[in-house]
Amino acid sequence: MLVSLNNGSGDFLVLPFKRLSISSLCAHEQPGPRESPIQCYIRRDRTSSTYLLFYGLVPSEGESDKLLLAARKVRRATCTDFVISLVADDFSRASNTYVGKLRSNFLGTKFTVYDSQPPCGSMIQSTARLSRRFHSKQVSPRLPACNYSIGTVTYELNVLRTRGPRRMHCILHSIPVSAIQEGGTAPTPSALPQSLDEQLSPLHSSKGKEPIVDTISPSIRATPVFSPGSREPLALKNKAPRWHEQLQCWCLNFKGRVTVASVKNFQLVAAVEPSHNVSPEEQEKVILQFGKIGKDIFTMDYRYPLSAFQAFAISLSCFDTKPACE
């Protein structure tokens, strides 16, 4: 079962390359542009289990100057973690380069995206990364205290072993569906709360006892809690491929950005209902696409309302083993 590239005309096309400053992209929480996607690529290193996200069309010299994000895959007894950092040589969660992580369930069919910073005005619950009780308001500035659950990626179980590409479904709790409506905007994260008490206040019990929180254990889960004024979260789904009789495979139009057939290849579009009042053009717009161009090279193109971090985290879910989905 492979996903194949087909651009409809037999030609491999390249999307227009819009030059953006690296400094603007390094704000990893900044949503991509509305007009055209930001084109990136991911280089996988199997020996070190690392994944490097670069800004650009294809690999070239001077990659270190274009590095946006890096991730390391860490296998645990009951799950897999992808720890995401701003640099390629420091994946410590105590570092100020720590961005967030992606965590899978045991089967590799569901993933949770954690951000080290709170989304603006949407989620108020977090899980602290220090496994101890907190009494002081003094927190080291180099030690991000919380992981915020901002989204999930789910792969549909293939219980009938039918032919076809993987089926993905993403829920982004930090982005309201109104962001893709006419005049809608995607929120950008606020700064971290000034005190640890602010960060943990939603977790306090009614009896006033201080909470015990620990996210080092894979068993810990953080369920997002929305403020009363929050709106319905944005959902993404696979763009439906078509079956090519001559090639005997499933095909999607990647417009030249994908050149190798792979089960990992995907395109995500908004999953909306008529009540959401989203235009047909917006519904057809590919918000995130990911695909293979070499043995360990993959392209990743994302646009508004996703940020580089959100797009990278969703793409990383493809690299975990999913025997129940194949």
Side-chain angles (χ1 to χ4, degrees):
M1 180 187 71
L2 295 177
V3 181
S4 175
L5 163 74
N6 189 314
N7 68 356
S9 64
D11 298 325
F12 293 105
L13 306 176
V14 177
L15 296 174
F17 183 73
K18 183 177 181 180
R19 292 192 176 277
L20 298 172
S21 66
I22 296 299
S23 60
S24 66
L25 291 175
C26 284
H28 60 275
E29 302 289 359
Q30 182 68 31
R34 293 180 184 270
E35 302 78 19
S36 58
I38 292 180
Q39 296 170 313
C40 310
Y41 64 91
I42 298 172
R43 182 181 292 276
R44 174 176 59 184
D45 188 331
R46 296 172 184 265
T47 58
S48 61
S49 297
T50 56
Y51 305 82
L52 305 182
L53 175 67
F54 296 97
Y55 170 55
L57 291 173
V58 291
S60 60
E61 296 182 3
E63 288 180 344
S64 59
D65 295 332
K66 299 182 294 181
L67 180 68
L68 297 181
L69 293 167
R72 172 172 289 173
K73 186 176 183 179
V74 181
R75 293 189 180 276
R76 305 186 185 281
T78 59
C79 67
T80 299
D81 280 351
F82 291 85
V83 181
I84 303 174
S85 172
L86 292 173
V87 296
D89 56 356
D90 185 359
F91 294 95
S92 169
R93 295 172 187 173
S95 171
N96 54 11
T97 61
Y98 172 77
V99 175
K101 67 181 178 181
L102 178 76
R103 170 165 289 182
S104 76
N105 63 359
F106 179 73
L107 293 177
T109 56
K110 184 175 182 179
F111 297 78
T112 304
V113 182
Y114 295 95
D115 195 338
S116 63
Q117 298 187 36
C120 179
S122 59
M123 190 184 66
I124 58 175
Q125 179 172 334
S126 63
T127 57
R129 292 191 295 107
L130 301 180
S131 55
R132 64 183 183 188
R133 294 175 182 265
F134 294 100
H135 300 279
S136 172
K137 292 186 178 181
Q138 301 298 323
V139 181
S140 169
R142 294 188 63 256
L143 191 60
C146 296
N147 274 322
Y148 294 84
S149 172
I150 64 166
T152 58
V153 182
T154 305
Y155 288 82
E156 184 176 317
L157 290 173
N158 189 3
V159 293
L160 300 179
R161 316 304 293 179
T162 56
R163 300 176 65 187
R166 292 171 175 171
R167 295 183 180 180
M168 298 171 61
H169 190 73
C170 305
I171 301 292
L172 298 167
H173 305 297
S174 58
I175 303 177
V177 69
S178 60
I180 61 172
Q181 296 171 348
E182 185 175 358
T185 58
T188 54
S190 60
L192 283 171
Q194 294 299 315
S195 71
L196 188 60
D197 284 355
E198 288 181 53
Q199 294 171 338
L200 298 180
S201 58
L203 300 179
H204 279 281
S205 66
S206 59
K207 296 182 180 180
K209 296 181 179 180
E210 66 274 21
I212 303 176
V213 286
D214 177 9
T215 60
I216 296 177
S217 170
S219 63
I220 295 297
R221 295 292 180 265
T223 302
V225 177
F226 297 93
S227 59
S230 64
R231 300 180 180 179
E232 185 176 353
L234 176 66
L236 303 177
K237 65 178 181 180
N238 286 89
K239 188 171 184 179
R242 63 182 180 86
W243 179 254
H244 196 291
E245 288 294 340
Q246 292 181 334
L247 298 177
Q248 289 294 293
C249 61
W250 295 95
C251 298
L252 280 171
N253 181 4
F254 287 93
K255 298 185 178 180
R257 290 289 286 154
V258 179
T259 57
V260 178
S262 172
V263 71
K264 295 180 174 62
N265 301 349
F266 70 81
Q267 290 180 327
L268 295 183
V269 296
V272 296
E273 302 293 336
S275 59
H276 292 143
N277 296 320
V278 177
S279 66
E281 295 78 12
E282 195 69 29
Q283 294 181 39
E284 289 296 317
K285 187 178 295 182
V286 175
I287 295 176
L288 171 63
Q289 77 172 21
F290 171 89
K292 192 172 185 178
I293 61 172
K295 181 180 179 181
D296 290 300
I297 303 294
F298 305 82
T299 58
M300 187 197 84
D301 301 339
Y302 72 97
R303 69 194 312 155
Y304 195 89
L306 291 186
S307 67
F309 166 67
Q310 293 160 346
F312 188 40
I314 294 172
S315 300
L316 286 171
S317 68
C318 287
F319 293 106
D320 198 27
T321 305
K322 301 170 186 58
C325 302
E326 314 293 65

